[in-house]
Amino acid sequence: MNVIISIVVIILLTIGIVWLIDKFVPKKLKPVINIVLWALIIFLGYLTFMSVYEEIKFNKLKVKRYAVVIDRLVDIRDTQLAYKEVNGEYAGDFNKLIDFVENGQVPITQRRDTLVLDEEKTRAFGGVETMKTITLIDTLSYYTVRDSIFKGNNRYKNMADVGVGKPGAKFKLEAGKIDDIPVFEASVDKAVVLYDQEKYLIEKEKQAVSIAGVKGETVKIGSMEEVNTSGNWGKDLSIKE
């Protein structure tokens, strides 16, 4: 919208200057004025073009960087889900997650229903055998997170690293409970991912609310405010979860 307003202002300004020159400036001064006017028009046009071009470059760069960040957040989420399956809660620091990938085993189970004697009802009915159905969970075998999620790849060792943007940046990892239900959140501020870009573009991006992009001030997965293991990005980023 700001770009459109600028273009309209430039057009109106140009028309106004041309009219003033034609109306009030002596003929002998018009060539000089015209040169100055054209220089001004070219300069303003350059500024308009660069404002549009800079935003186009920014949008392309942010999508590339977000793709790296989202890939790593999905790894964190998948590891957290496996960790919770074994431990009944999410990990609150990356050392626990990394150790779990290296040493932990997740059981492969099978549920089956079977009939057993309901002793309480049998007594209540004077010894008449009464049966009830219970569900048994059998452990068939185990799998390691490293082989299942990471396919033997060692990228899990750098799970805490954002990987793009500000050098050495780390994800923020939190874990806790909401009404006794485990929750977690892994996040990084957009200003960290886009640290070397124009500040006004970063601030504009942090205010994004579109469901197509990344909503809010951070790129995150999970939530400490609600039971949710999804990310806050839209499908147009072409990242598979």
Side-chain angles (χ1 to χ4, degrees):
M1 182 59 69
N2 290 336
V3 173
I4 295 174
I5 293 173
S6 299
I7 293 173
V8 172
V9 170
I10 290 172
I11 293 173
L12 293 176
L13 181 63
T14 304
I15 294 174
I17 293 174
V18 170
W19 181 82
L20 288 172
I21 291 174
D22 186 62
K23 191 76 173 175
F24 299 107
V25 176
K27 288 186 177 180
K28 63 180 181 180
L29 292 178
K30 285 184 178 181
V32 176
I33 298 293
N34 284 336
I35 292 174
V36 174
L37 178 61
W38 275 110
L40 177 62
I41 291 172
I42 291 171
F43 177 70
L44 292 175
Y46 170 77
L47 291 180
T48 303
F49 169 78
M50 287 306 297
S51 67
V52 175
Y53 181 61
E54 286 298 324
E55 191 150 353
I56 291 173
K57 288 200 304 180
F58 175 81
N59 287 335
K60 289 182 177 179
L61 178 138
K62 78 178 183 183
V63 169
K64 288 182 179 179
R65 292 190 181 179
Y66 285 165
V68 175
V69 173
I70 290 170
D71 244 359
R72 297 192 173 208
L73 286 174
V74 171
D75 275 347
I76 294 170
R77 190 270 309 280
D78 292 346
T79 306
Q80 284 279 38
L81 292 175
Y83 184 95
K84 175 177 171 287
E85 187 175 344
V86 173
N87 298 284
E89 62 183 6
Y90 293 115
D93 67 75
F94 284 104
N95 290 331
K96 287 183 179 179
L97 280 183
I98 293 171
D99 180 70
F100 177 69
V101 173
E102 291 182 335
N103 304 306
Q105 290 188 320
V106 182
I108 299 174
T109 60
Q110 175 181 278
R111 299 170 65 92
R112 59 187 176 88
D113 294 335
T114 186
L115 288 173
V116 297
L117 180 67
D118 189 329
E119 295 182 0
E120 184 176 341
K121 287 186 177 181
T122 297
R123 286 195 299 268
F125 294 147
V128 178
E129 288 190 353
T130 304
M131 308 301 287
K132 65 179 180 180
T133 301
I134 63 171
T135 300
L136 298 178
I137 300 177
D138 299 324
T139 299
L140 303 179
S141 62
Y142 293 86
Y143 69 87
T144 64
V145 178
R146 179 177 178 180
D147 292 336
S148 176
I149 297 176
F150 298 96
K151 311 300 181 186
N153 190 291
N154 287 333
R155 69 180 186 275
Y156 71 88
K157 294 183 178 181
N158 300 315
M159 192 185 299
D161 297 336
V162 175
V164 290
K166 190 174 183 178
K170 305 287 185 181
F171 288 110
K172 179 181 179 181
L173 183 64
E174 301 174 272
K177 291 185 177 181
I178 297 177
D179 295 330
D180 291 328
I181 301 175
V183 293
F184 82 94
E185 180 177 311
S187 64
V188 59
D189 195 302
K190 287 180 177 178
V192 173
V193 179
L194 305 168
Y195 86 107
D196 54 352
Q197 300 301 297
E198 294 288 345
K199 288 186 177 180
Y200 79 94
L201 290 173
I202 296 175
E203 286 305 313
K204 180 180 177 181
E205 174 61 20
K206 292 178 76 169
Q207 296 170 16
V209 295
S210 170
I211 60 173
V214 179
K215 295 181 289 184
E217 298 188 354
T218 63
V219 190
K220 68 175 186 174
I221 201 163
S223 174
M224 294 301 294
E225 298 176 355
E226 59 181 344
V227 180
N228 178 17
T229 59
S230 298
N232 66 332
W233 53 84
K235 296 300 182 182
D236 69 332
L237 291 174
S238 301
I239 302 297
K240 294 183 179 180
E241 290 194 41

